[in-house]
Amino acid sequence: MTEIIDGNAVASDIRDELTDAIETLADAGSRPGLATVLMGDDPASQTYVNMKQRDCEEVGIESHHVDVDGDAPPEKLFDTIANLNENDDVHGYIVQAPVPDHVDYRDVIRRVDPIKDVDGFHPENVGRLVAGDARFRPCTPHGVQKLLESAEIDTEGKDVTIVGRSDIVGKPLANLLIQKAEDGNATVTVCHSRTDDLAAKTRSADIVVAAAGVPELIDGSMLEDGTVVIDVGVNRVDADTDKGYELVGDVEFESAKAKASAITPVPGGVGPMTRAMLLYNTVKAAGLQEGIDVDLP
Ligand SMILES: Nc1nc(=O)c2c([nH]1)NC[C@@H]1CN(c3ccc(C(=O)N[C@@H](CCC(=O)O)C(=O)O)cc3)C=[N+]21
């Protein structure tokens, strides 16, 4: 039987455990605060921002939100960032990607105070992660590690094929999984759109992580029996539903499930974990900034 790894359940457990850490902070007179910044009106981004606000309420994190007009000059966004850097009630914040085309996301990230960079995207935090001294693990890669751990899937000595080389998933996850650590020690292959013979790379893997942003790129014919399949894709494709779209992963679920020993669904797999690990980083940020030791899950 193929195990369906339930991201909603694992994320919920993590939120429960974070509640204890948030109580420790409260006893010391501090309440963690998370802000989201959204420039423009991308509908998917608005959905995520709303979900993050609900998550915060559930665990007792104060949530803040700033909207920036999509047509505003980049300086408008930079001013928002400067204000958040100064705001002691905000321990962490994220600038939702993508930003409009006239803004360079790299210029944005560099302005975020690294101690408040709960996405883990600032060059200082990227450098620390690569050096094996991570402060904030990027939320999606960290969520993938926690999902594997929850399903008792050991990465030590395993061949992991990551499909996708993004700065927010593929690259940091590859770095985390090769580290000399209990949740690392894997042999990692990173594939991308220019990879020759992708199927050969996925077939030779013990664990496949699909993070290319291409709907149903990976199907069962590209997998050997017994593979663990982690689907990071959250693609909105037009469909005849109430919302006018449906969410589709980077994995063709049914054919992959027939081969996999364990697989994550979309929705309900990695997505909720990304949000849970954002709360985790916010609690960690609050502990660091307030000088309070917190126990993290
Ligand atoms: N600065 C920044 N940080 C991010 O972490 C970031 C970002 N920008 N831009 C966009 C991507 C995407 N992302 C998701 C988070 C949660 C779900 C999620 O919770 N998905 C649910 C369902 C969502 C739905 O119903 O639409 C699920 O898969 O079950 C998905 C995608 C964070 N991102």
Side-chain angles (χ1 to χ4, degrees), residues 157-190:
K158 298 288 166 51
D159 289 316
V160 180
T161 292
I162 299 172
V163 185
R165 56 176 154 181
S166 70
D167 292 333
I168 72 173
V169 185
K171 280 190 217 169
L173 181 60
N175 271 293
L176 288 167
L177 291 178
I178 59 171
Q179 279 173 10
K180 206 177 257 185
E182 225 180 301
D183 53 5
N185 290 326
T187 303
V188 176
T189 303
V190 183

Side-chain angles (χ1 to χ4, degrees), residues 130-197:
V130 174
D133 180 30
R135 174 159 54 198
F136 299 119
R137 295 186 193 204
C139 303
T140 302
H142 197 186
V144 170
Q145 287 186 299
K146 290 286 188 192
L147 273 183
L148 290 170
E149 187 193 315
S150 76
E152 295 179 356
I153 295 158
D154 199 359
T155 53
E156 177 158 339
K158 298 288 166 51
D159 289 316
V160 180
T161 292
I162 299 172
V163 185
R165 56 176 154 181
S166 70
D167 292 333
I168 72 173
V169 185
K171 280 190 217 169
L173 181 60
N175 271 293
L176 288 167
L177 291 178
I178 59 171
Q179 279 173 10
K180 206 177 257 185
E182 225 180 301
D183 53 5
N185 290 326
T187 303
V188 176
T189 303
V190 183
C191 301
H192 46 76
S193 53
R194 305 297 170 92
T195 296
D196 284 341
D197 203 357

